[in-house]
Amino acid sequence: DTLIGTRINRTIGRPLLRSDHQLQTARMEHTKARILHVDDHQDTRLMMAALLQDRGYGVLTAGSVTEALDLVGNINFDLYILDIRLPDGTGVELCQKLREKHPGVPIIYYSAYGDAAEVESALARCGDAYLKKPVCIADIEDLVARLLKTGARKYPLPQAQ
């Protein structure tokens, strides 16, 4: 038996079945880069995964902060794409947790939400770029390729209080 992410079958209290993390990682080894896309809308996850997989990237998806952190605990990703509003937290909070664990991995926010002030605030706290839905496919491709080449921006370490 293998696990499906972190979703628990509430009726019987055990993990659902899916390919395990080792199998997922093995499939992603022969790709341009390993990408984690976190979005609470399944159709958006499927679209982004298909788009990036067609271009040679290995993509796994998660629908929540909890699922994302579980995957990050088992797989080394080269890039993260995060929605801002998630069912169990925010993309900015997730970004900060990911930055602590993997400071050199670039992070893109991809969301329909956010005026100019919110975008600026999110990027000031964490993250490397912000794409506001809807966005042109070429813009996604270009940004992913550029960030994989240049890496994450350097942030000062938080000061101990």
Side-chain angles (χ1 to χ4, degrees):
D1 289 346
T2 55
L3 298 177
I4 286 185
T6 59
R7 293 187 183 247
I8 300 297
N9 183 331
R10 304 263 184 247
T11 57
I12 56 176
R14 63 182 174 90
L16 298 172
L17 297 177
R18 186 211 270 169
S19 31
D20 66 340
H21 296 301
Q22 290 176 337
L23 179 58
Q24 292 168 339
T25 303
R27 286 184 195 152
M28 293 176 62
E29 289 301 318
H30 302 289
T31 62
K32 288 183 188 178
R34 295 172 304 272
I35 298 173
L36 175 62
H37 179 223
V38 185
D39 197 301
D40 58 327
H41 293 103
Q42 183 178 14
D43 56 342
T44 303
R45 291 193 311 266
L46 293 172
M47 181 276 307
M48 183 68 75
L51 166 77
L52 294 171
Q53 287 169 346
D54 284 348
R55 278 130 185 101
Y57 297 104
V59 182
L60 290 181
T61 66
S64 68
V65 170
T66 303
E67 287 180 44
L69 292 174
D70 179 54
L71 287 170
V72 168
N74 293 292
I75 299 170
N76 291 321
F77 291 96
D78 302 303
L79 183 115
Y80 303 112
I81 301 173
L82 312 178
D83 192 4
I84 289 292
R85 296 184 184 175
L86 297 165
D88 57 347
T90 71
V92 175
E93 294 164 345
L94 176 57
C95 181
Q96 291 171 322
K97 290 176 183 178
L98 295 172
R99 241 343 152 223
E100 288 174 13
K101 294 175 186 260
H102 307 282
V105 177
I107 299 172
I108 300 170
Y109 295 116
Y110 180 66
S111 182
Y113 303 102
D115 59 21
E118 290 173 308
V119 170
E120 186 177 323
S121 173
L123 288 172
R125 290 177 62 194
C126 192
D128 300 294
Y130 197 116
L131 290 173
K132 191 165 178 184
K133 298 174 192 175
V135 65
C136 174
I137 292 170
D139 291 342
I140 295 170
E141 283 183 86
D142 292 345
L143 182 59
V144 166
R146 181 171 49 86
L147 287 175
L148 285 169
K149 184 177 180 180
T150 61
R153 292 187 296 162
K154 303 298 182 234
Y155 288 87
L157 294 173
Q159 300 297 318
Q161 296 181 1

